[in-house]
Amino acid sequence: MYQAVKTVDKILRRLFRDAVAILSVTLSTAITNSLLRKYYPRGKASGSITLLEPTQPLSTSPVIFSAEFAMVETNVVRVNPEGIKRAAAYISYKIAAEQYTPRTWRTQPLHVCPPKPYSPSDPLTRQCLNWIFIISALNFSFWSEREGTAERYGVEWRKGWGMEERVVHTGYWSLVAAVNRALEENIPITDPAFYSSEGLCPDSLIAYVFRAATQCRESIPLLQERIAIMREVGSILCNNFNGSYLGFLASFHNRKYGQGTAIDLAEMVTHTFPSFRDEQWLNGRKVLFWKRAQILVAETWAAFYPEISTYQHPIFPNGPAITTLSMFADYRVPQILHHLRILEYPDSLAHKLRAGTYLTSGCREEISLRAASIVAVERVRNEIICLREKSHQGSGEAGCGNATGTGQHDEVSSVLIDFYLWDLAKKIERGEERIEGVDTADMVPVHRTRSIWY
């Protein structure tokens, strides 16, 4: 009985959320705010929420919705409106100038790309999807105590598929290189039936797959947690979805009658796999981050993005509505957002970051860093849309369209902005690029939180 009541309550809440999202577009802001005050009154007992500004439409993303609440409630990291305006113009220009699109995903030399044209019966499609899934399942916590030295954890492998040159990959790319190296060694590490089985794939073999380069003095962080996640997600896929991510997507299509969107898929991932359920409680209210669940969806979207953007997406035949996804709240993107003066840190937090102080997962400062990053990237996106509409209309007086919609604004998504900012941060870290023409702050170290969530 209790479970049935919870289910009904959840359905009603979602219906209300979607209804308010529609009202925010079709009715006045005053009416929408009135509804929010009625159902989400301010105060500690019931949680607080940021009411809409006249030009700020309500997002239909539950992640962005709860991030707005968490940023206000924690009141640590702040978003700088002037920084957003300056950085949005820079980011918009760079994305256009560098022709940065979802198809850029395929140009990464370590990625496993799907066959063309798309065919769900092609074994290579299944293999690619399984590769994306395990990479996303294990995509967390790569910061190092030995940052900037050859002793940090790294994996030696080819510079890219089909290349003879070998390099030591660090950070996220160490995970990708380790998985690719295992595949080259004929270890089927991306097959759920294999990595879910302690008999076929013992812990010692997984440790071997993630072995470090000879000069490293660190092993991969949270190895035991990674092994536990591999057992969990692999078992769920084998027991419920025909042993593959492709089977999971087939179930998603069946449940949604082929009409499912990106956020629908992310929600199904978090409900199905506990290790993807990146959520925290704050003052009696759940805050959703869903970093790895959303990045799994985004990687799937980008990997199979059609050559011509107007063509049907094979995974989302009714349209992905990719703008319903937020950025992926990790430790790297907040760093570049602060460098671009989009985020402002109080002196106390900046001092902790420079000192390498550990921030516990779920602490006020850590939640604030992640929530503010989500809000900031969404506002950068809205600003880019405004800038492009003004440019298209040839007048500085043109208004901004509804950023929560789909269609022409899908090309400006928080996902694409996140992809660009993450790549930019890594290039700056390697000394390959520096930001010109925009006022920047000193590059503060990333925040140190050991967690399976990011």
Side-chain angles (χ1 to χ4, degrees):
M1 179 66 180
Y2 173 72
Q3 190 63 38
V5 171
K6 278 185 67 177
T7 302
V8 172
D9 178 69
K10 183 177 179 182
I11 292 171
L12 290 174
R13 284 176 178 273
R14 180 184 291 180
L15 288 172
F16 169 74
R17 185 192 73 209
D18 293 344
V20 172
I22 295 170
L23 285 170
S24 69
V25 178
T26 58
L27 300 180
S28 69
T29 299
I31 295 174
T32 305
N33 283 340
S34 176
L35 284 170
L36 288 172
R37 287 192 183 96
K38 179 178 179 181
Y39 291 98
Y40 291 98
R42 289 184 178 275
K44 294 289 183 181
S46 55
S48 61
I49 190 167
T50 304
L51 298 185
L52 301 178
E53 297 298 329
T55 59
Q56 178 190 349
L58 178 66
S59 172
T60 57
S61 164
V63 175
I64 299 168
F65 195 70
S66 64
E68 290 273 7
F69 157 77
M71 186 182 76
V72 173
E73 197 76 2
T74 54
N75 193 30
V76 177
V77 180
R78 299 191 178 186
V79 176
N80 175 13
E82 290 304 313
I84 285 175
K85 290 182 180 179
R86 290 190 294 267
Y90 174 84
I91 294 168
S92 180
Y93 168 78
K94 294 292 285 185
I95 287 176
E98 297 178 13
Q99 297 183 318
Y100 205 91
T101 73
R103 296 280 296 183
T104 303
W105 189 93
R106 288 172 168 263
T107 67
Q108 297 286 2
L110 293 180
H111 281 172
V112 172
C113 296
K116 296 185 294 183
Y118 174 78
S119 171
S121 61
D122 189 327
L124 294 178
T125 299
R126 180 188 179 100
Q127 291 171 20
C128 174
L129 286 169
N130 280 342
W131 183 91
I132 290 171
F133 184 86
I134 195 61
I135 292 293
S136 297
L138 302 178
N139 184 359
F140 57 83
S141 201
F142 298 106
W143 62 266
S144 171
E145 298 283 358
R146 301 172 187 264
E147 200 80 40
T149 74
E151 295 182 339
R152 70 165 298 179
Y153 174 72
V155 171
E156 183 176 348
W157 192 64
R158 300 178 186 277
K159 196 172 183 179
W161 287 104
M163 300 181 185
E164 291 301 320
E165 182 183 357
R166 291 179 177 268
V167 298
V168 175
H169 301 274
T170 60
Y172 161 77
W173 294 113
S174 65
L175 166 67
V176 179
V179 170
N180 290 351
R181 180 179 62 185
L183 293 174
E184 190 174 61
E185 293 172 346
N186 294 318
I187 301 172
I189 198 62
T190 60
D191 183 353
F194 179 76
Y195 62 72
S196 65
S197 169
E198 293 186 41
L200 296 173
C201 184
D203 292 1
S204 58
L205 179 57
I206 296 177
Y208 172 77
V209 166
F210 294 114
R211 66 192 183 278
T214 54
Q215 73 271 27
C216 300
R217 295 294 176 266
E218 288 180 327
S219 56
I220 189 170
L222 302 178
L223 175 60
Q224 292 307 312
E225 288 80 356
R226 293 178 199 276
I227 292 172
I229 288 171
M230 293 172 76
R231 307 297 190 207
E232 174 208 288
V233 300
S235 296
I236 291 172
L237 286 175
C238 288
N239 293 334
N240 300 283
F241 303 103
N242 295 320
S244 71
Y245 181 38
L246 179 65
F248 181 85
L249 290 174
S251 177
F252 168 69
H253 290 147
N254 289 337
R255 292 186 191 188
K256 296 293 180 179
Y257 304 101
Q259 307 294 303
T261 64
I263 196 64
D264 292 330
L265 181 55
E267 187 171 23
M268 181 172 164
V269 170
T270 61
H271 288 178
T272 305
F273 305 99
S275 58
F276 277 91
R277 209 167 294 151
D278 180 10
E279 302 167 352
Q280 297 284 356
W281 285 95
L282 178 64
N283 297 339
R285 192 165 145 186
K286 189 182 289 186
V287 179
L288 315 178
F289 291 110
W290 294 0
K291 184 261 183 178
R292 288 190 294 108
Q294 290 193 108
I295 207 167
L296 169 61
V297 175
E299 299 267 333
T300 305
W301 166 73
F304 291 88
Y305 196 83
E307 289 188 65
I308 299 175
S309 62
T310 54
Y311 283 11
Q312 185 183 68
H313 195 290
I315 309 298
F316 302 101
N318 199 48
I322 200 66
T323 55
T324 56
L325 297 186
S326 77
M327 61 81 70
F328 318 121
D330 63 357
Y331 52 81
R332 185 63 66 187
V333 176
Q335 180 190 43
I336 192 68
L337 291 174
H338 177 265
H339 183 55
L340 285 165
R341 297 191 183 276
I342 294 171
L343 293 183
E344 294 179 340
Y345 297 166
D347 291 342
S348 58
L349 177 58
H351 176 74
K352 287 182 179 180
L353 298 181
R354 290 190 176 96
T357 303
Y358 183 84
L359 299 184
T360 305
S361 179
C363 76
R364 183 165 155 266
E365 289 163 319
E366 190 251 2
I367 288 177
S368 187
L369 278 161
R370 301 185 76 196
S373 297
I374 292 171
V375 173
V377 171
E378 193 65 16
R379 292 183 184 176
V380 167
R381 173 182 169 265
N382 291 343
E383 182 65 23
I384 290 174
I385 290 172
C386 289
L387 289 171
R388 292 187 177 185
E389 285 190 349
K390 289 174 182 178
S391 175
H392 291 159
Q393 295 180 23
S395 168
E397 301 299 319
C400 298
N402 170 30
T404 63
T406 57
Q408 71 182 81
H409 294 152
D410 276 0
E411 64 186 55
V412 186
S413 65
S414 290
V415 169
L416 195 64
I417 294 169
D418 181 286
F419 283 171
Y420 170 76
L421 289 174
W422 191 91
D423 284 344
L424 175 63
K426 296 299 288 184
K427 289 176 182 176
I428 292 173
E429 180 186 47
R430 295 191 298 264
E432 297 174 2
E433 190 167 329
R434 58 180 298 179
I435 295 172
E436 303 283 355
V438 179
D439 184 33
T440 57
D442 291 340
M443 187 72 90
V444 175
V446 299
H447 68 274
R448 295 187 169 196
T449 299
R450 275 288 176 235
S451 163
I452 69 166
W453 305 124
Y454 62 97

